[in-house]
Amino acid sequence: MPRAGLLIGSDCAVLTPELIRHCHSALVAAEAVCLPAEDGGYALIGVNRSEASLFSSIDWGTERVMAQTHQRIEALGWRLACPATVWDVDRPEDVIRLTHHWA
């Protein structure tokens, strides 16, 4: 029997076990969960079932990723939960932010 799953980016320092648990729990009431990133992408996506079209023809690496993914989720008729907006480490200025976060 298929089960819910989460895909987690490795460049998001603000993901905590509690936030990950919260995202997984959100899949009880929604077919998909995302943690949008401030830069227009996302740091986590979770789904209750597999759907290849969710990830096809996305402008990966751009500020349009989350918006396009959201459009796909709506087209599938799925409910989407977005419990928080986070930031990830993609640019040199993000590394500076990371050092302040860990300070």
Side-chain angles (χ1 to χ4, degrees), residues 19-87:
L19 185 53
I20 293 169
R21 279 191 297 275
H22 184 69
C23 289
H24 190 265
S25 296
L27 290 172
V28 171
E31 288 81 19
V33 61
C34 282
L35 289 179
E38 293 174 355
D39 63 7
Y42 52 80
L44 175 149
I45 186 166
V47 295
N48 278 328
R49 60 182 174 267
S50 176
E51 178 56 56
S53 68
L54 183 60
F55 300 107
S56 64
S57 300
I58 298 290
D59 296 328
W60 298 109
T62 71
E63 71 283 350
R64 297 181 299 277
V65 171
M66 182 62 214
Q68 291 173 336
T69 302
H70 190 188
Q71 290 170 349
R72 295 285 164 72
I73 290 168
E74 286 182 341
L76 290 167
W78 291 1
R79 290 164 295 189
L80 173 65
C82 295
T85 299
V86 297
W87 57 274

Side-chain angles (χ1 to χ4, degrees), residues 13-14 37-39 85-89 91-103:
V14 296
E38 293 174 355
D39 63 7
T85 299
V86 297
W87 57 274
D88 54 11
V89 181
R91 300 173 303 253
E93 56 268 25
D94 299 328
V95 174
I96 295 167
R97 187 176 185 180
L98 178 63
T99 60
H100 288 100
H101 175 74
W102 282 342

